[in-house]
Amino acid sequence: MKIKIVVLLLCMSVLACKNDNHENASETKSETEIGFDSAKWKTRQGQEFPYRAQMLDDLVQSKKLKGLKKSEVLNLLGEPTRTDKNYMFYEVNRDKIEFFTLRAKTLVLRFSPEDMVEAVLIHG
C-alpha cells in the first residue's frame, strides 16, 4: 500500500512540473527575439529589464563583447547588476515569488588582466 502511495505521489509531482517548451510550435524566432539595442538593454522598469531576454542571443552570437575594454562595455551595456574581481554580471531576467528567487538568468563577462572581455557566459 505504501508503495502505491509513493508511486502515485511521484506521478502527480511529475505531471505538475511545468514544461518550458513553447506551447505554440509554429512560433518563430523573430516573434520572441529582437536585435541588440544599447538603449533598450539599459531600460529598467522597477526591478525588471523588459528587453534583455529578447536581445541576449543576438548580443552573444554577434560577438560584440569579446575583446572590449571595461569602459567600452560600460558604455554599451551600462552599469552591471554586480561586479566581482574580474567579472561583471548583468541580470537578464528573474522569476520570483514574493522575496524568493525561483530562477534567474545572468550575462556574465570575464575580463583578462588587461581589462578586456575574454569570455562571455550565460548563467541560469
Side-chain angles (χ1 to χ4, degrees):
M1 182 67 178
K2 288 183 182 181
I3 293 177
K4 289 181 182 179
I5 292 173
V6 169
V7 170
L8 179 63
L9 289 173
L10 181 62
C11 289
M12 288 175 34
S13 64
V14 168
L15 292 174
C17 291
K18 181 181 176 187
N19 185 356
D20 285 339
N21 292 335
H22 293 290
E23 292 178 10
N24 185 358
S26 65
E27 183 178 9
T28 62
K29 184 176 180 178
S30 62
E31 292 174 358
T32 59
E33 294 181 10
I34 58 176
F36 175 77
D37 179 307
S38 181
K40 284 186 177 182
W41 178 270
K42 296 173 189 175
T43 300
R44 186 176 193 146
Q45 294 176 348
Q47 295 295 326
E48 297 182 10
F49 300 94
Y51 302 107
R52 288 185 177 183
Q54 296 170 303
M55 290 188 277
L56 185 62
D57 284 342
D58 182 59
L59 179 62
V60 172
Q61 290 175 3
S62 70
K63 301 183 184 192
K64 291 179 185 180
L65 300 172
K66 198 98 177 207
L68 291 181
K69 295 180 180 180
K70 279 187 182 180
S71 60
E72 295 171 317
V73 170
L74 291 170
N75 187 42
L76 186 67
L77 302 180
E79 288 297 318
T81 309
R82 73 180 179 98
T83 59
D84 183 21
K85 295 183 184 179
N86 293 329
Y87 292 87
M88 283 186 178
F89 302 87
Y90 289 88
E91 181 179 311
V92 175
N93 60 15
R94 181 179 302 271
D95 296 332
K96 292 171 48 173
I97 294 181
E98 298 291 327
F99 300 107
F100 301 103
T101 299
L102 300 175
R103 182 178 13 187
K105 185 179 279 190
T106 306
L107 173 67
V108 181
L109 305 178
R110 184 177 66 213
F111 289 86
S112 70
E114 296 81 27
D115 279 342
M116 296 179 79
V117 176
E118 67 178 5
V120 179
L121 311 161
I122 299 173
H123 183 264

